[in-house]
Amino acid sequence: MKITLTINGREYTRDIAENRTLLRFIREDLGLTGTKEGCGAGECGACTVIVNGKTMNSCLMLAAECSGAVIETIEGESESGELSKMQQAFHKHHAVQCGFCTPGMIMSVKALVKKNPKPTVHQIQEAIEGNFCRCTGYTQIIEAVQAGTDQRDEQEELRRV
Amino acid sequence: MLQTFSYVAPDSRKDLLAILNKEGTRAKILAGGTDLMVDIRGGKIAPAFVVDIKKIADLKGVSYSATEGLSIGAVTTCIELVTDKTIVAKFPIIADAASRLGSTQLRNRATIAGNICTASPCADLSCAMLALGASVEIASMTGTRIVKLADFFTGVKTTVIKADELVTRLIVAPELVNAKFGMEKLKRIKGHDLSLASVAVVKTGTLLRVALGSCAPTPIVLPDFPANAPLASILEVAGKTIKPIDDVRASKEYRKMMIMTFIEQIILRL
Ligand SMILES: Cc1cc2nc3c(=O)[nH]c(=O)nc-3n(C[C@H](O)[C@H](O)[C@H](O)COP(=O)(O)OP(=O)(O)OC[C@H]3O[C@@H](n4cnc5c(N)ncnc54)[C@H](O)[C@@H]3O)c2cc1C
Ligand code: FES
Ligand code: FES
């Protein structure tokens, strides 16, 4: 069947297999491989994308369901060639180690910050509850989100190290 | 790769019911897909048709009237239940239960009818809706019937729903508007996880009702108690009713102990 949808501001029309997951469609049909497949079963959040403003596990969705949808993926963060403010904060605060969880993590954080520009630690934790990180540890990720929302005193941090 | 199937997304209830009627067990309803897609991927089911019901306008939305009570459309998602003004003001236990399901990503997709139709013993919304004494409206080509949620579950992951039927909405009678409530859910981790034992209680001036999850083949509700029922009598009935099991996630003794502890904590608080 034919679907038309918008990803990171660009419109795509494609013929798809009806059993194609949104995740496979994004990665394999469109070649946007920033979005990852971890578990394929809704547990890990590596496949998180923003669909019509809401984060969703693209592994549990069919591309066929998304005709007309407006979707955001990690590739949209640095379209200008420069990392977004949140990506820079992740970089600076060592919130990325292997990086496998990062695209999904950034999508969850982006949707949070859009609704709530100054989230508390608890609100950040809740927003990334469905995003598993197996290497960095969540402390740096939470610190990065605080920095990315101008909630950390950089001078104080320098004094600490 | 997922097994092959055809995707259909009818935009009216009539068309949907006609497809279910024609295809029977070859068709599977897709709501939020958070259970269905896992089952398809795992090879547990192999439908020839996946029928998306989210394009049907009259399966959406929440409304309240003093005569019928609360009506929740089948495809209402957890995030809509958490934020809906009527639910938060009049039936906050539903918002509380929805906020405990899975992660943000799942709450943005998972629907209330999907939760009850999956009929998992640990389903969070089912437990709260049982405590509220909810009814389920079910439609097929031949008409509509209403079943008490307490009679809806028939066993582990089985319900009274037939292959040609659709859950259209859930209804909660007005008597329980603004009822006091308490809920507890035991999980292995602080983040998103399925329940190991859960308790939902509602209390009005005259009535106290206790629903329990993850301690029997289906979510269960105890017979109604008077509002002032002594704790010991509630614990006695609960102890006799539950049949928790040992599995990879918890032992039956632990589940039982936590069910009893939660009931006690909630009753003392209400
Ligand atoms: C990682 C993960 C974590 C989870 N955590 C929780 C949790 O904490 N608590 C919890 O309760 N659940 C949890 N779940 C289970 C699931 O998210 C819920 O059961 C959810 O409410 C299912 O709704 P859905 O709309 O996604 O259903 P779907 O997957 O679309 O459907 C589920 C089943 O119901 C049928 N169905 C759906 N709608 C109708 C209808 N209107 N009429 C007739 N049949 C219908 C479908 O055919 C299918 O068999 C989790 C799932 C995953 C993958
Ligand atoms: S790949 Fe989708 S949640 Fe893990
Ligand atoms: S950085 Fe490796 S999983 Fe998070």
Side-chain angles (χ1 to χ4, degrees):
Chain A
M1 67 183 279
K2 196 164 248 170
I3 60 166
T4 297
L5 75 187
T6 305
I7 301 186
N8 304 325
R10 225 182 108 191
E11 193 175 284
Y12 297 86
T13 299
R14 290 286 188 285
D15 239 327
I16 53 151
E18 293 174 30
N19 65 345
R20 200 79 168 145
T21 62
L22 176 62
L23 175 62
R24 290 288 169 98
F25 172 73
I26 290 174
R27 285 180 55 82
E28 293 170 17
D29 298 347
L30 301 183
L32 298 171
T33 53
T35 307
K36 304 294 183 226
E37 175 161 17
C39 63
E43 304 271 355
C44 74
C47 66
T48 305
V49 297
I50 302 176
V51 181
N52 299 329
K54 294 198 169 83
T55 54
M56 294 181 182
N57 299 313
S58 60
C59 69
L60 296 184
M61 301 174 71
L62 295 174
E65 292 177 75
C66 297
S67 203
V70 175
I71 296 176
E72 297 159 64
T73 71
I74 189 68
E75 284 84 358
E77 290 306 278
S78 49
E79 294 251 280
S80 64
E82 232 178 66
L83 297 181
S84 69
K85 184 172 173 186
M86 193 58 77
Q87 284 177 313
Q88 287 178 27
F90 267 61
H91 179 206
K92 183 159 171 207
H93 288 262
H94 304 282
V96 181
Q97 195 169 325
C98 78
F100 196 83
C101 69
T102 314
M105 199 67 87
I106 300 253
M107 286 298 106
S108 285
V109 169
K110 184 180 183 185
L112 167 72
V113 172
K114 190 149 188 208
K115 276 193 308 196
N116 179 356
K118 300 271 181 233
T120 62
V121 170
H122 180 75
Q123 288 165 334
I124 298 168
Q125 286 169 338
E126 209 177 68
I128 61 171
E129 207 176 47
N131 294 87
F132 293 178
C133 177
R134 294 288 88 139
C135 29
T136 307
Y138 299 99
T139 306
Q140 285 100 308
I141 294 172
I142 291 164
E143 286 173 359
V145 179
Q146 290 180 308
T149 51
D150 304 316
Q151 298 188 91
R152 281 193 88 80
D153 183 342
E154 309 269 311
Q155 293 308 316
E156 167 62 31
E157 261 159 42
L158 284 177
R159 277 197 295 279
R160 246 178 34 192
V161 285
Chain B
M1 267 296 269
L2 296 181
Q3 35 183 299
T4 34
F5 51 75
S6 299
Y7 168 86
V8 266
D11 54 15
S12 78
R13 193 187 287 210
K14 199 166 145 259
D15 292 350
L16 167 70
L17 292 175
I19 296 169
L20 296 182
N21 189 272
K22 176 157 173 269
E23 303 302 339
T25 52
R26 282 158 45 83
K28 267 285 178 191
I29 290 174
L30 167 72
T34 62
D35 284 316
L36 188 79
M37 292 291 287
V38 176
D39 285 350
I40 292 180
R41 186 174 187 269
K44 276 199 199 144
I45 51 171
F49 295 89
V50 168
V51 190
D52 188 353
I53 59 172
K54 293 188 295 295
K55 307 262 188 309
I56 303 172
D58 67 352
L59 296 180
K60 294 183 186 160
V62 174
S63 63
Y64 180 78
S65 78
T67 45
E68 189 191 48
L70 181 73
S71 166
I72 306 177
V75 299
T76 308
T77 60
C78 286
I79 191 69
E80 287 162 353
L81 295 172
V82 170
T83 51
D84 184 86
K85 289 204 178 69
T86 309
I87 286 183
V88 172
K90 293 187 156 67
F91 297 93
I93 186 174
I94 302 175
D96 187 309
S99 76
R100 292 168 192 262
L101 184 145
S103 59
T104 306
Q105 292 93 318
L106 289 160
R107 287 190 291 274
N108 282 337
R109 283 280 284 179
T111 66
I112 190 160
N115 197 257
I116 68 155
C117 291
T118 289
S120 156
C122 66
D124 288 319
L125 291 169
S126 304
C127 203
M129 296 307 280
L130 273 177
L132 288 171
S135 302
V136 188
E137 187 186 79
I138 302 167
S140 72
M141 289 257 290
T142 50
T144 301
R145 60 181 178 133
I146 301 224
V147 176
K148 281 269 177 205
L149 186 57
D151 303 324
F152 182 83
F153 305 116
T154 51
V156 182
K157 305 217 159 182
T158 58
T159 70
V160 300
I161 291 275
K162 301 193 197 84
D164 65 339
E165 287 183 320
L166 162 79
V167 169
T168 49
R169 59 190 184 118
L170 279 103
I171 304 158
V172 182
E175 286 74 40
L176 284 169
V177 71
N178 299 328
K180 286 200 227 165
F181 77 96
M183 252 194 110
E184 293 292 343
K185 170 180 177 181
L186 176 70
K187 303 187 285 187
R188 288 167 301 183
I189 53 165
K190 262 197 192 148
H192 80 116
D193 196 12
L194 297 171
S195 130
L196 301 174
S198 41
V199 178
V201 180
V202 293
K203 187 179 176 184
T204 64
T206 51
L207 167 132
L208 188 147
R209 195 182 289 129
V210 181
L212 307 170
S214 305
C215 61
T218 71
I220 54 171
V221 59
L222 303 183
D224 290 358
F225 296 98
N228 58 0
L231 175 64
S233 70
I234 299 171
L235 290 176
E236 197 192 325
V237 176
K240 282 192 189 139
T241 315
I242 63 177
K243 296 180 189 65
I245 55 161
D246 285 318
D247 70 6
V248 288
R249 296 187 306 124
S251 69
K252 57 176 184 270
E253 291 80 13
Y254 182 43
R255 287 177 199 267
K256 176 164 184 187
M257 187 191 85
M258 290 312 294
I259 291 275
M260 295 303 185
T261 306
F262 284 155
I263 295 177
E264 181 168 343
Q265 286 176 351
I266 296 171
I267 301 289
L268 295 179
R269 209 161 59 215
L270 285 181

